[in-house]
Every structure is written in structure tokens, then in C-alpha cells.
Amino acid sequence: MAGSAIVLGVGAERGLGAAIARRFAAEGLHTIVSGRTKDKLDTVVDSIAADGGSAEALAGDATDAGDIAALFDHAAERGPIDAVIYNVGNNAIIPFAELTPEQFEQFWRVCCLGGMLTAKAAMPILAEQGHGTMLFTGASASMRGKPAFAHFAAAKAGLRMLAQSLAREYGPQGVHVGHVVIDGVIDGEMVRSRFGDYLEQLGEDGSLDPDAIAENFWHLHSQHRSAWTHEIDLRPFKENW
């Protein structure tokens, strides 16, 4: 029986979570997709099945410890878990003068706490197996805070440090932990529906293609353990950085 890949933070079919799920399923892994909207998850599962892959959907909230436990209990019953991808996140422009404590906490819960809850469930399983990969979707905000993004930067910086700590603690136990810094706009359904004109202004390949990002996630997962990468940064060739 093929191992499983768990992808959290799957939404629209034209989105990063779905692209990662398709990429891992294409390699023969049974892919479990998780997100808050069951209809969207079912669409992704159907597209994977249409391409000959194996997938299933389990709706849940990544910030709810009970939902995370149920997800991993289900996956562990099936057999080995080869990969866990924490792709959950949100973002918004909020000037600091307008930022409320409730908003700050909510961004932290989604962008950071959910990663910790996922790792708490995943790491004992992967360490006991002696192999497996856990990858986190990060952002350039984790390394530099910009005006009107204090909430996002603080949360993503926390996630980055979580990933580093896990890599150093669990690497010697055979668990590969990676952090993927996304520096730029992802050309997904959400951005296209809200900021289509902006994407057009960026021009050809001026935004990150979800499938191209997913290819890098697979590359990290498939690395030989004698030459692991912990962190990579991805950006369009014309991105100002």
C-alpha cells in the first residue's frame, strides 16, 4: 500500500494547496486533502481521481486540535504517512493603527498555531517511522516586516522559527522539515478573482505559478537525506527583492 501525503490548507482547484496535492498524488501517494470547505475539497479530489491518482477529502479547521487529531488518526489507520504539508494561511492589508488584538490573534492562530498543532500530531508518527517529511508554506514577511502587515509578519515569523526548531530536533530522527518562503503573488483563483488587473500588470510569469511552486515542494520531499534542504525561497524572476 502506498504511503499517504496530508495537505492542509486546500481550497480552490486553482490554488497552491490543490497544486501540491496533485503533485504528490501524481507520484503514487494517497493524498488526503484538508480545508474548511468540503465542496472545494471534493472538486480537488475529483480532479486528482480523473488523472488517475488516489485522494480523499477531510474537512476541518487547522486551528482546532480535535480536528487535527481526527485527521491524523484517520491517516495513521491507513498506513505510513510519508509527507505532511502545512499550507494554511491568510493575509490582509491592515494598518497598525487599525489592527485589533482580536485580528492579531486570529492571524497568529491560522498562520502559526495551526502549524504547531499539526506538528504535534505529525512528529510523533514520523519520528516513530524514522522517515517522512513535514513542509511549511512560509512568506517573505517571516524575514522582513512591512507597513500594514505587522499581524502577518509576526505570525509567519513564528511559523518560520517553529519550522527551524522542529528541523533541528527531529532531523536526527529521520524527519525532514522544510520551510518554503513564498516571495510574491501566487497566480491562484483567489488572487485572480480579487486582483485580476494587478496580475495582468505583472505580465507573463510575473506571479508565482502554483504548479511550479508545488514542484519545489516535491523536490524537497524527494531529496536524499545526505543532502537535505531546510529552507528555500521562491519568487518570480522579475520580483523586486
Side-chain angles (χ1 to χ4, degrees):
M1 180 181 294
S4 297
I6 302 174
V7 184
L8 298 96
V10 177
E13 186 177 5
R14 174 66 184 179
L16 179 54
I20 294 170
R22 285 193 300 269
R23 186 65 184 86
F24 279 70
E27 297 293 337
L29 294 178
H30 175 70
T31 305
I32 302 172
V33 297
S34 181
R36 293 178 298 177
T37 308
K38 186 64 161 60
D39 289 345
K40 292 182 178 179
L41 296 176
D42 288 341
T43 299
V44 173
V45 167
D46 289 344
S47 70
I48 290 173
D51 290 335
S54 174
E56 63 179 308
L58 286 177
D61 182 349
T63 67
D64 185 299
D67 285 358
I68 293 295
L71 173 63
F72 278 86
D73 286 346
H74 176 78
E77 287 177 359
R78 190 182 180 282
I81 299 173
D82 287 352
V84 179
I85 296 92
Y86 189 79
N87 180 59
V88 184
N90 56 2
N91 199 358
I93 300 173
I94 308 175
F96 189 74
E98 301 172 13
L99 181 66
T100 67
E102 292 77 18
Q103 288 173 319
F104 187 90
E105 181 177 3
Q106 180 58 25
F107 274 88
W108 169 79
R109 292 182 65 83
V110 172
C111 294
C112 187
L113 176 64
M116 176 269 186
L117 294 175
T118 301
K120 285 288 285 185
M123 287 302 159
I125 297 173
L126 301 182
E128 184 176 357
Q129 293 175 170
H131 69 87
T133 303
M134 180 159 192
L135 304 175
F136 296 89
T137 300
S140 54
S142 67
M143 297 184 286
R144 60 179 187 270
K146 289 189 173 182
F149 289 101
H151 50 291
F152 185 62
K156 282 296 190 179
L159 184 72
R160 183 173 183 243
M161 290 300 101
L162 171 69
Q164 280 192 21
S165 295
L166 293 172
R168 291 186 169 101
E169 184 169 351
Y170 286 93
Q173 299 178 55
V175 182
H176 185 187
V177 179
H179 181 252
V180 181
V181 176
I182 306 298
D183 186 10
V185 178
I186 297 176
D187 184 5
E189 184 175 317
M190 182 179 68
V191 175
R192 282 219 162 263
S193 65
R194 298 179 184 180
F195 309 104
D197 291 343
Y198 176 66
L199 285 178
E200 294 302 321
Q201 292 174 15
L202 293 176
E204 184 178 3
D205 296 330
S207 54
L208 291 112
D209 180 85
D211 291 326
I213 299 173
E215 188 65 36
N216 281 278
F217 274 81
W218 176 256
H219 171 69
L220 284 174
H221 171 69
S222 58
Q223 285 180 329
H224 191 274
R225 68 177 184 175
S226 69
W228 275 349
T229 297
H230 168 62
E231 184 171 76
I232 58 173
D233 53 346
L234 306 176
R235 64 182 58 86
F237 75 102
K238 61 174 97 173
E239 181 74 17
N240 180 16
W241 61 291

